[in-house]
Structure formats: structure tokens, C-alpha cells
Amino acid sequence: MQTTRISWCDYSWSPVTGCSHAGPECWNCWAEEFMKRQAARDDAPKYMDELEWTQENAEEVVDTHPDRLDEPIEYTFPDGPGRIFTVSMGDLFHREVPESFIRQVIAIARQLPEHEFIFLTKRPERAAAVDVAWPENALVGASVGSGPGGEFPDTTHRIESLRGVDARRWVSFEPLIEPIGEVDLTHLDWAVVGGENASDDVRRDMDHAWAREILEQCRRDGVPFHFKQSSAATNESGTRFTVKNEDYGIFEQRKIREYPPVPEVTKRARE
């Protein structure tokens, strides 16, 4: 467990590490590069800083960490209860993660209603298939970065796959690498948008016009909108969002960082 600079959460917890590329948004995965650097510094198995996060390497790369399951219970939260990014260094719903372990992770969230546990996956269809009763303080999301008819394979089908998850739901449009187009957001509780965080030689830039289209659809469907960052070499850079001031007919930069309502179970636990 640790605090984090990610704008949409307060803490991160990774009882699973490692993943495999599931779409074009994964090509410059910051978690993959971070884990490789960490493995090179620590006395970790050599393969961890050599193997790419490909489908073929998944069995070796994806690890579960039973010793980390109790971290949220034992951790002293320096800023009090908050939003916990659950599995920030992997994907809890990867095929290499046993369903029994997934249920154990979700059980920890149920034990700590004073916190919101934020799950993010590129495999929402598996999240929907897990035989578990989701606690009210869970927020389950999918990553979507590309739309139909663009340069990259379409990932918007993940938005629809979330309908099968019986929990509060959200979408992370990060990294947003091309326009998404028209999507139905009515079943969502939150949308986050961000550009790619990668070095200058590989980073794909995000046009703020693409993010504005998502903002307009969020306003249409009544979904809170959170602009995380522009495309940049470092995380949380370019946090101001170029939007149109309708009163004056000009474009200006603002921070728009909205959050979904805190669930009732969490409100009660914090009283």
C-alpha cells in the first residue's frame, strides 16, 4: 500500500502484478516499464526485466501476491479514508489470476466500507463473469482509448461489457489515442480522460477536441467527468483542459475534476 499522485485516487494497492497487452492503449504501458525498472533495481528474477508483457509471456509475468491481501487492513492511512486504486500494476481480471483470488481481493473491499476500492481492467467481460456479490464501495471500470473507424483497433466494446458487472461502473479513457465517437454512457457512474504518459519518441498525442466530445456526452448522460492530464512524458502533466466558454465564445483552459457520489455505506462508515 502507498499514497499516489494519480488524481482520481488517494492510495494504490497491488495484490496482483503483471499483465499482457490487450489493445493499442497498452503499447507504451507505464506500469510495464515501471515494473521492469523495479525488477532491475531489486534482487528480482532476471526474466522480470527482460520479458515483454505479451500474451505469450503472461504465465511468467502475471503474479498473485497472497502476502499483500491484508495490506489495506494493516496499513495506517496518512490522509484518512479514501479511494484505493486496486491492482495498479496489473489486471485483477487477467486469465492468469484464479477466480478464488479475485474473490479474496473483493472480500477485503467489503471488510473496509470506509474506503472506495477502484478496480480498472481491460477485461470487463471477465469481471462480469466472476461469481461474486460486489460490495457497494467498489467501483469497477474499463480502459478505453480508441474508437471505431480510426487508426487503431476499436476498444469501445468494453463500455458495453461493463453492463454485466453488478456494481458501480466507470470508464477510463486513458490513454486517449484517437476519437471515441458516439457511445452510450448512461450505465456509468464516472468517466476519466487522460492522454498518454510515455517518452517523447513513442508517445501518441491527444487532441483536446477528442476529450471535449467525451465531456459533451458525459453532460448529455449525466456522468461526472474528470480530466486527468494531457499527453506528456511525466504523469499528471498538463492538467488544464481546453474547453469552450459558451458565454464569451472563446476557448479557455480549466481544471475539470469531478468525482462520483460517495456510496451510502462509505458515508455511514466514516461517520
Side-chain angles (χ1 to χ4, degrees):
M1 287 287 305
Q2 61 184 15
T3 57
T4 176
R5 291 180 59 210
I6 298 172
S7 65
W8 48 260
C9 60
D10 306 297
Y11 306 98
S12 63
W13 170 45
S14 285
V16 172
T17 55
C19 192
S20 52
H21 296 180
E25 71 283 354
C26 302
W27 297 349
N28 301 318
C29 178
W30 69 271
E32 178 180 4
E33 293 306 312
F34 178 87
M35 289 292 291
K36 286 181 179 179
R37 292 195 302 270
Q38 194 74 16
R41 285 197 300 268
D42 298 341
D43 187 22
K46 186 62 179 173
Y47 72 81
M48 289 301 296
D49 64 344
E50 292 179 343
L51 287 183
E52 301 293 326
W53 284 13
T54 62
Q55 296 291 337
E56 294 75 16
N57 294 334
E59 186 175 354
E60 292 180 273
V61 168
V62 178
D63 283 326
T64 58
H65 302 276
D67 58 310
R68 299 182 185 180
L69 283 170
D70 289 338
E71 284 184 352
I73 297 172
E74 300 168 350
Y75 184 68
T76 301
F77 291 87
D79 300 317
R83 302 178 188 87
I84 301 174
F85 184 5
T86 305
V87 187
S88 60
M89 291 294 167
D91 192 330
L92 180 63
F93 302 100
H94 195 283
R95 67 179 184 275
E96 294 295 333
V97 181
E99 184 167 320
S100 58
F101 193 81
I102 295 173
R103 288 197 293 268
Q104 286 180 276
V105 172
I106 296 170
I108 297 296
R110 184 176 293 103
Q111 291 180 53
L112 300 171
E114 66 272 26
H115 300 285
E116 290 182 84
F117 285 78
I118 302 179
F119 298 81
L120 183 61
T121 183
K122 294 178 177 65
R123 301 161 177 87
E125 64 284 347
R126 187 169 188 218
V130 173
D131 183 16
V132 67
W134 286 96
E136 188 182 342
N137 61 323
L139 186 61
V140 184
S143 298
V144 173
S146 52
E151 177 183 353
F152 302 104
D154 180 17
T155 55
T156 57
H157 59 88
R158 296 175 188 160
I159 299 174
E160 286 303 304
S161 294
L162 275 173
R163 289 184 186 274
V165 179
D166 188 18
R168 298 157 66 226
R169 313 176 192 102
W170 71 295
V171 168
S172 173
F173 294 100
E174 185 187 13
L176 187 61
I177 54 177
E178 66 182 10
I180 294 298
E182 283 289 318
V183 287
D184 182 1
L185 306 177
T186 54
H187 59 297
L188 301 179
D189 294 271
W190 195 23
V192 174
V193 173
E196 187 163 49
N197 174 204
S199 60
D200 293 345
D201 57 325
V202 297
R203 185 175 63 251
R204 294 161 290 184
D205 289 332
M206 178 190 68
D207 190 327
H208 280 213
W210 308 341
R212 285 196 296 273
E213 291 178 354
I214 296 172
L215 172 62
E216 290 169 3
Q217 294 180 73
C218 284
R219 295 294 184 250
R220 177 198 68 198
D221 293 338
V223 178
F225 175 92
H226 184 108
F227 184 80
K228 179 174 178 283
Q229 69 170 56
S230 302
S231 305
T234 56
N235 196 21
E236 299 292 332
S237 298
T239 57
R240 291 188 176 275
F241 178 35
T242 305
V243 294
K244 189 173 183 178
N245 184 319
E246 297 295 343
D247 293 334
Y248 296 97
I250 61 173
F251 283 94
E252 59 186 20
Q253 289 199 318
R254 303 178 197 162
K255 273 194 175 183
I256 303 180
R257 289 188 164 176
E258 300 167 351
Y259 298 88
V262 176
E264 289 300 320
V265 68
T266 300
K267 289 180 182 178
R268 293 193 297 270
R270 292 178 181 179
E271 291 176 351

